Amino acid sequence: MISKQGWINLYKPKNITSFKAINSIRKKFSIKKIGHAGTLDPMAEGVLPIAIGKATKLIPYISIMNKEYEFTVTWGSQTSTDDAEGNILFKSDYFPKKKEIEKKIANYLGYVNQKPPKVSAVKINGKRAYKLFRDNEEFQILPKKVFIESLILTDHSKNKTSFKILCGKGFYVRSLARDLALDLKTYGHISSLKRSKVGKFTEKTSILLDDLL
């Protein structure tokens, strides 16, 4: 029997966890050793590099590579999850202008301190933040240093703005949406999120989960 090993450049669809995606591949192809580099939120779609067999040893090297995302921020409301899935916490009637946004995003380049969302895989005293959140436990997440190589505004309408970002390991696009909105004296959350690149793994060369299965 030939042992299966190597990489799959998977395009993860929306509304499925990264774990569920790799689990369906594990079962379908009877793979013993499988893992992924850089978790994607269930509501996010896009590139999810999957390692099989001995390639799993390389996951830490892929995980630290820069990632590119395309995302849309909806202005006027902040949610409990910093995306469209959560409950609305705060509302505002103020929608920022394109010029204001472009001026503000220049401050977000390089190394910045970022507080991960409460619904995230960050560990607090050994427990995942999203589990503590689900159990309605009170907890604080400390900010951490993250890196943004480039941030470009790609489209703008009255209450929505789209961006493209190239960022480093451990970066949360949802946190950026929340912080940028507050910086612009309003509220905001992510309404769409796509990862188009992880290192050399690109959307162009990826395979859809359904096609693979």
Side-chain angles (χ1 to χ4, degrees):
M1 190 182 155
I2 300 164
S3 70
K4 301 180 182 84
Q5 51 197 344
W7 288 90
I8 297 169
N9 181 9
L10 185 77
Y11 192 93
K12 185 193 87 66
K14 281 181 194 174
N15 305 319
I16 178 174
T17 63
S18 299
F19 175 76
K20 204 173 175 186
I22 67 165
N23 218 23
S24 56
I25 296 167
R26 185 206 308 268
K27 283 180 183 170
K28 173 82 177 176
F29 301 105
S30 310
I31 297 163
K32 281 182 181 165
K33 212 169 182 189
I34 189 168
H36 60 78
T39 306
L40 267 178
D41 289 342
M43 76 151 276
E45 61 183 292
V47 172
L48 183 68
I50 291 175
I52 294 163
K54 287 179 182 172
T56 53
K57 289 177 181 170
L58 300 171
I59 287 173
Y61 302 101
I62 303 299
S63 296
I64 59 170
M65 288 179 170
N66 279 0
K67 298 166 183 73
E68 184 184 80
Y69 294 91
E70 291 169 28
F71 64 99
T72 300
V73 178
T74 293
W75 309 108
S77 56
Q78 186 179 323
T79 71
S80 54
T81 55
D82 298 313
D83 61 23
E85 307 278 293
N87 300 319
I88 293 172
L89 300 175
F90 309 107
K91 289 186 97 165
S92 168
D93 295 330
Y94 179 67
F95 302 128
K97 309 276 187 295
K98 189 182 177 184
K99 273 189 175 168
E100 286 177 80
I101 301 163
E102 283 177 328
K103 199 175 170 187
K104 205 56 102 171
I105 62 175
N107 303 335
Y108 283 81
L109 297 176
Y111 285 97
V112 293
N113 279 323
Q114 185 188 71
K115 195 185 265 193
K118 287 215 160 180
V119 179
S120 65
V122 172
K123 279 191 173 176
I124 314 281
N125 301 325
K127 279 188 176 178
R128 299 283 184 195
Y130 62 79
K131 284 190 174 156
L132 295 172
F133 180 85
R134 267 195 231 129
D135 297 339
N136 292 318
E137 287 190 41
E138 280 293 313
F139 65 98
Q140 285 301 316
I141 298 182
L142 295 171
K144 55 179 185 168
K145 200 164 262 189
V146 290
F147 181 71
I148 303 174
E149 190 170 308
S150 67
L151 178 57
I152 303 154
L153 190 155
T154 54
D155 194 32
H156 177 75
S157 62
K158 190 191 172 187
N159 70 328
K160 284 185 181 185
T161 310
S162 296
F163 303 88
K164 186 183 267 193
I165 189 169
L166 188 62
C167 54
K169 186 184 188 291
F171 188 88
Y172 281 95
V173 180
R174 286 180 289 142
S175 293
L176 174 71
R178 177 199 66 210
D179 298 344
L180 180 60
L182 292 170
D183 231 359
L184 288 158
K185 307 284 186 281
T186 186
Y187 297 109
H189 65 270
I190 291 284
S191 46
S192 80
L193 178 61
K194 177 176 87 173
R195 185 157 69 195
S196 43
K197 200 192 278 184
V198 177
K200 293 265 195 315
F201 293 85
T202 65
E203 183 186 348
K204 216 177 193 175
T205 59
S206 64
I207 181 165
L208 293 166
L209 182 62
D210 284 355
D211 290 351
L212 178 69
L213 298 176

